[in-house]
Amino acid sequence: MTTCTHLSKNIILNVRVRRLAKYSIGVDYGTQSGRAVLVEIGSGREIATSVKEYTHGVMDEFLPGNKIRLEDDWALQHPNDYLEVLQVTIPAVLTKANVAAEDVIGIGIDFTACTVLPVKADGTPLCMLEEYKEHPHSYVKLWKHHAAQDEANRLNKIAEERGEDFLKRYGGKISSEWMIPKVWQILNEAPEIYEEADQIVEATDWVISRLTGEIKRNSCTAGYKAIWHKQKGYPSKEFFKALDPRLENVVEEKLSNDIYSIGSKAGEITAEAAALTGLKQGTAVAIANVDAHVSIPAVGITEPGKLLMIMGTSTCHILLGEEEKIVPGMCGVVEDGVLPGLMGYEAGQSCVGDHFEWFTENCVPAAYDEEANEKGINIHQLLTEKASKLRPGESGLLALDWWNGNRSTLVDVDLTGVLLGATLLTKPEEIYRALIEATAYGTRTIVEAFRNSGVPVNEIYACGGIAEKNALMMQIYADVLNTEIKISASSQTPALGSAMFGAVAAGKDRGGYENITDAAKEMGGVKEETFKPNPDSVRVYEQLYAEYETLYNYFGRGENDVMKRLKNIKKQSL
């Protein structure tokens, strides 16, 4: 009788604890898919995950239906794919975890950036209107849409001639990936779309508006991607007029001066959003964020001097600082851009996982695929296994990691990749390792640019699928950087970070947090295992990096513009 009573009390206690538990959801929108993660408040424990591949994927050749062909350097997406992610993944995580909607107190999202779309006043994307569904400029321009390079070049030239001080905050150049060049491209190539759009917004802000019913632009994308400054606002009307008289009032007509700080509340789930997602109406929604920046608190970083590499198809480098310093080729420095009260620095590499994928799809012999199948592993695992048996420098190869241009420190998407030292004996795994090493050299260039500009980099962290799955790559990075690397404890770092911001949006009274620093202390963290530099490898990589630097400057700083000349010849031949 006593035993039964004891068991009954335990069951009742467990049920009560389960009912008392509160959760937050983070939705991470990547380049190819979106994922939702249900996270327990307090512990940061990831309870359930669901992934939805985008129905339309990345459209870089044709619009839906394969009738309208896209030009080179285009990369579009369909906004309905983003709604499908909410519709599929959020109910899935609730069902998997057997968690009731009323126990979810907040939701946050993060996105690739700069990813933008033109919309009507009610938020309807132009590509969803019958009359514009076959017009390329009516769709989402993904972050890696580089067809606005001409506009970026002209913007940078005019800004430099006028002595615009904002250029310094972006490493001396505004990228074709950012908001203003993309807006200007729409105006130049499709003025009818520009006129029809009531707003041109970041996709991350658009998705939040579908949850809350109101577009609120976040300070992160505004600061890093749209040349907005917390103290000074956007560049002057005179500057925009100098670009193009039609752009004089672009801020008032297509953007907005109302910018909302990350870490604040965007609103609450509407009845319509509740029907879409399965969440309870009134659930708190955080101001939108960017995938890289939202990852910082998820690894527990709350102070300056700690650089985080968010590694995927591309790599973004985020670093906190106490002062606004000018760093050559950085993507931006924004006050409160990552965490309130600190300067957030961003740099990045446009091609990391992307060029490993390119290599496996185009340059690997059939025998390697057969060997991978026989071993029951994928081709990346096989190449990594083979590459791990090579010593640093053994292949005699050196590569420049510019298959998708250079984001930092040269800020030039017209640069292309280089592989040097190949012979008739060169093997696929040697090239694969050289490509990995090239990305490590690119990161070292960025780290040294920060340090040389007075921004301390004392510790290095990594997150993302590559950081978690590829030990060889992380060891190479530790050796090239000659620095210990710590790995995020979460396999879904951006989504965890978004969930943390969702908990902050809910507030302490509802079971969340007062601020993101408090959330980071309880819910963020790294693995115990780290990657430490190997002294013998470090010595070899010092020599190889010196050669990389020579090539980097030779092709990247104007001494030999052969890459750009080849691109022009290619265009003329089409």
Side-chain angles (χ1 to χ4, degrees):
M1 189 73 177
T2 305
T3 302
C4 290
T5 304
H6 179 68
L7 288 172
S8 297
K9 285 180 178 179
N10 276 347
I11 291 170
I12 293 169
L13 181 61
N14 287 334
V15 169
R16 285 176 179 169
V17 168
R18 185 172 183 81
R19 285 178 179 168
L20 287 172
K22 295 297 180 184
Y23 305 89
S24 183
I25 290 177
V27 183
D28 171 37
Y29 285 93
T31 300
Q32 301 286 353
S33 62
R35 70 190 61 236
V37 177
L38 180 73
V39 181
E40 185 178 64
I41 306 295
S43 69
R45 190 164 62 96
E46 295 164 21
I47 308 299
T49 300
S50 177
V51 179
K52 171 70 172 69
E53 298 286 332
Y54 297 143
T55 299
H56 298 88
V58 176
M59 298 180 287
D60 52 13
E61 294 186 82
F62 295 94
L63 287 188
N66 293 331
K67 293 179 181 178
I68 309 298
R69 188 173 185 86
L70 301 174
E71 296 178 14
D72 285 348
D73 295 326
W74 279 64
L76 306 180
Q77 289 190 322
H78 198 303
N80 195 60
D81 293 355
Y82 308 149
L83 300 182
E84 288 180 351
V85 168
L86 299 176
Q87 187 177 36
V88 171
T89 64
I90 293 178
V93 295
L94 294 176
T95 300
K96 284 181 183 178
N98 193 26
V99 166
E102 54 263 31
D103 289 328
V104 177
I105 64 170
I107 179 172
I109 74 159
D110 64 83
F111 230 99
T112 63
C114 177
T115 296
V116 302
L117 69 159
V119 301
K120 299 299 291 180
D122 65 357
T124 301
L126 295 194
C127 65
M128 290 187 177
L129 300 176
E130 186 67 25
E131 60 266 41
Y132 296 115
K133 69 178 185 180
E134 293 188 350
H135 201 308
H137 281 290
S138 71
Y139 285 82
V140 176
K141 286 181 171 62
L142 185 58
W143 66 269
K144 62 178 180 177
H145 174 90
H146 290 151
Q149 187 59 45
D150 287 345
E151 283 77 10
N153 291 341
R154 280 184 280 164
L155 185 155
N156 289 323
K157 184 174 183 293
I158 292 169
E160 192 171 350
E161 290 172 349
R162 288 173 52 86
E164 297 285 349
D165 65 355
F166 69 76
L167 271 186
K168 295 181 294 184
R169 299 197 305 273
Y170 299 93
K173 286 183 181 178
I174 300 301
S175 169
S176 65
E177 295 180 3
W178 291 181
M179 172 71 82
I180 302 305
K182 286 175 173 172
V183 171
W184 196 6
Q185 187 197 8
I186 295 174
L187 177 60
N188 284 333
E189 298 179 10
E192 69 278 17
I193 295 293
Y194 183 86
E195 289 302 321
E196 190 67 23
D198 292 308
Q199 293 194 63
I200 299 176
V201 299
E202 282 277 357
T204 192
D205 294 325
W206 180 77
V207 171
I208 289 294
S209 76
R210 299 302 88 186
L211 295 174
T212 65
E214 184 180 0
I215 292 176
K216 289 186 174 180
R217 295 173 188 258
N218 72 88
S219 59
C220 186
T221 54
Y224 289 103
K225 315 300 181 184
I227 326 181
W228 175 83
H229 189 271
K230 183 179 179 181
Q231 311 300 333
K232 301 176 182 178
Y234 290 99
S236 67
K237 288 188 177 186
E238 290 74 23
F239 168 71
F240 286 116
K241 186 177 181 180
L243 295 183
D244 189 316
R246 299 171 295 173
L247 287 175
E248 181 177 4
N249 298 308
V250 64
V251 173
E252 294 76 13
E253 293 175 353
K254 306 301 177 185
L255 307 178
S256 174
N257 282 303
D258 295 327
I259 306 297
Y260 296 85
S261 175
I262 55 168
S264 58
K265 183 178 176 181
E268 297 179 345
I269 293 288
T270 63
E272 183 180 359
L276 177 73
T277 64
L279 293 174
K280 186 177 178 183
Q281 185 176 350
T283 302
V285 180
I287 285 292
N289 215 317
V290 179
D291 50 2
H293 306 69
V294 78
S295 300
I296 281 280
V299 297
I301 295 176
T302 58
E303 65 258 21
K306 299 180 178 182
L307 182 141
L308 174 64
M309 305 182 292
I310 302 90
M311 306 176 76
T313 55
S314 63
T315 291
C316 195
H317 307 77
I318 304 296
L319 176 66
L320 300 177
E322 294 178 320
E323 302 175 77
E324 185 177 282
K325 299 280 189 179
I326 304 305
V327 182
M330 67 180 172
C331 298
V333 52
V334 177
E335 184 179 355
D336 302 339
V338 179
L339 291 182
L342 292 169
M343 293 292 170
Y345 291 87
E346 177 189 346
Q349 293 166 269
S350 297
C351 189
V352 181
D354 261 356
H355 80 168
F356 306 143
E357 196 69 29
W358 163 83
F359 180 72
T360 58
E361 289 179 355
N362 295 280
C363 304
V364 177
Y368 277 59
D369 287 311
E370 292 169 6
E371 183 180 350
N373 289 332
E374 288 172 4
K375 291 186 173 182
I377 58 179
N378 66 41
I379 190 63
H380 290 284
Q381 290 171 310
L382 178 69
L383 287 168
T384 299
E385 180 184 292
K386 290 177 177 292
S388 66
K389 297 174 182 177
L390 300 169
R391 297 184 303 278
E394 181 180 344
S395 69
L397 298 177
L398 183 65
L400 288 177
D401 51 320
W402 298 346
W403 264 248
N404 202 22
N406 179 285
R407 184 184 295 165
S408 302
T409 59
L410 300 170
V411 197
D412 193 340
V413 301
D414 283 333
L415 296 173
T416 51
V418 169
L419 179 67
L420 190 67
T423 72
L424 294 177
L425 297 177
T426 297
K427 294 181 173 61
E429 58 267 28
E430 293 175 325
I431 299 175
Y432 194 75
R433 180 167 180 135
L435 295 179
I436 291 175
E437 290 168 342
T439 66
Y441 302 145
T443 288
R444 177 166 167 176
T445 303
I446 290 166
V447 170
E448 291 189 357
F450 279 122
R451 287 174 172 161
N452 292 338
S453 301
V455 183
V457 180
N458 303 321
E459 297 180 23
I460 295 180
Y461 296 67
C463 68
I466 290 175
E468 181 164 359
K469 298 173 185 175
N470 197 317
L472 170 65
M473 186 162 172
M474 299 321 302
Q475 185 59 53
I476 288 173
Y477 270 60
D479 294 338
V480 169
L481 295 166
N482 195 17
T483 305
E484 181 181 19
I485 296 178
K486 301 175 183 178
I487 307 299
S488 171
S490 171
S491 61
Q492 311 290 347
T493 312
L496 171 60
S498 287
M500 291 163 64
F501 275 101
V504 173
K508 195 170 183 178
D509 291 344
R510 289 173 120 181
Y513 297 94
E514 285 186 10
N515 55 63
I516 192 63
T517 302
D518 290 346
K521 289 175 182 176
E522 283 196 0
M523 299 175 70
V526 295
K527 294 180 178 181
E528 287 187 17
E529 179 191 7
T530 65
F531 291 88
K532 297 179 175 65
N534 179 308
D536 292 335
S537 297
V538 168
R539 283 191 287 272
V540 177
Y541 281 127
E542 283 294 328
Q543 299 174 59
L544 290 169
Y545 179 71
E547 300 297 341
Y548 174 89
E549 267 194 308
T550 300
L551 290 180
Y552 191 96
N553 293 324
Y554 178 67
F555 287 114
R557 301 194 186 278
E559 188 170 347
N560 189 338
D561 283 333
V562 60
M563 296 171 180
K564 299 180 182 184
R565 293 195 296 273
L566 289 173
K567 272 199 167 185
N568 287 333
I569 293 170
K570 178 182 177 180
K571 287 179 183 178
Q572 292 165 12
S573 67
L574 295 177

